[in-house]
Amino acid sequence: MSSCKIDHSLDDVKKKLTEQIAYLPEELATSCLNYLNSSLKQTELNEVFHLLKKYDLASDEEKQIRNKKFEDLFQ
């Protein structure tokens, strides 16, 4: 993931999730929704946003890497 200097709001992250939810494994999508309903730091919001960004265009290998990062973040 490339670093980004923009802080993404909770609404931005939820919108991005809505755009990408059809491409995520069902369990991961549910975990992400639950995660977004907790109190999050700005760095966490930014990380989720960038993991979701262009998820649909990612290769299978890249999706596996992102899925692992999601799982680590949600624990």
Side-chain angles (χ1 to χ4, degrees), residues 1-59:
M1 301 282 92
S2 60
S3 64
C4 176
K5 306 252 186 250
I6 298 173
D7 284 339
H8 300 283
S9 69
L10 179 58
D11 286 341
D12 289 342
V13 179
K14 286 183 175 182
K15 181 179 177 197
K16 186 59 67 181
L17 175 59
T18 300
E19 294 170 3
Q20 297 295 327
I21 202 161
Y23 304 99
L24 293 167
E26 187 175 343
E27 185 177 308
L28 190 61
T30 301
S31 294
C32 193
L33 284 168
N34 291 337
Y35 186 73
L36 292 177
N37 287 324
S38 62
S39 294
L40 300 174
K41 297 175 188 172
Q42 187 62 58
T43 54
E44 294 167 320
L45 288 172
N46 292 347
E47 186 170 356
V48 172
F49 183 90
H50 287 282
L51 288 171
L52 290 169
K53 186 176 178 182
K54 296 185 181 179
Y55 185 93
D56 57 328
L57 301 177
S59 68

